């Protein structure tokens, strides 16, 4: 059974991004974003369970939005006003509903990277 998961690592402090807010959207054919789920990452920087799985995991385009600047502000990290990174949106596609799609984010107040994990 396929599923969608996420995980965020705070590369500025060398730890999981516990407490970061993440919102999942489904993108329609016109690119409009329909909200599906909003979560707060746990102590390990992960969602407590899959964001989508079973019948809720459908072929299509999706967006995860990570509240990077709010997370670093809550940690007391000094940021510019406005911060260099506010929210980080990641658009991706799901083509195989039997597969595991893991979307990790490595983030600092000044940079981020992602990849399809396992």
């Amino acid at each position: 059974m396929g599923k969608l998961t996420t995980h965020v690592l705070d590369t500025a402090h060398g730890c999981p991004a516990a407490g970061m807010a993440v919102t999942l959207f489904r993108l329609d054919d016109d690119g409009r974003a329909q909200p599906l789920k909003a979560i707060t990452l746990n102590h390990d920087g992960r969602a407590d369970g899959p964001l989508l799985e079973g019948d809720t995991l459908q072929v299509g385009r999706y967006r995860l939005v990570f509240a990077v600047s709010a997370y670093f502000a809550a940690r007391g990290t000094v940021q510019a006003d406005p911060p260099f990174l506010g929210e980080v949106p990641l658009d991706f596609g799901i083509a195989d509903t039997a597969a595991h799609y893991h979307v990790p984010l490595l983030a600092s107040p000044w940079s981020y990277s992602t990849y399809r994990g396992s």
Side-chain angles (χ1 to χ4, degrees):
M1 177 169 61
K3 61 185 174 180
L4 170 64
T5 57
T6 193
H7 181 206
V8 181
L9 296 175
D10 172 345
T11 58
H13 297 99
C15 63
M20 184 180 286
V22 180
T23 307
L24 172 66
F25 298 87
R26 181 174 170 87
L27 303 177
D28 66 19
D29 293 338
D30 296 325
R32 290 183 299 246
Q34 306 300 323
L36 296 178
K37 186 177 280 193
I39 63 160
T40 300
L41 300 178
N42 66 21
H43 70 281
D44 197 30
R46 297 178 183 274
D48 286 329
L51 299 173
L52 298 173
E53 66 181 331
D55 292 341
T56 64
L57 183 68
Q58 299 175 4
V59 171
R61 302 285 310 156
Y62 293 86
R63 174 177 296 150
L64 281 168
V65 178
F66 299 89
V68 172
S69 66
Y71 163 79
F72 284 106
R75 285 200 58 129
T77 304
V78 176
Q79 300 177 77
D81 185 19
F84 181 68
L85 293 177
E87 293 185 329
V88 172
L90 297 178
D91 291 3
F92 59 95
I94 291 178
D96 179 2
T97 59
H100 180 186
Y101 287 82
H102 183 63
V103 183
L105 184 74
L106 307 174
S108 81
W110 314 278
S111 67
Y112 67 90
S113 66
T114 190
Y115 55 94
R116 181 175 173 192
S118 58

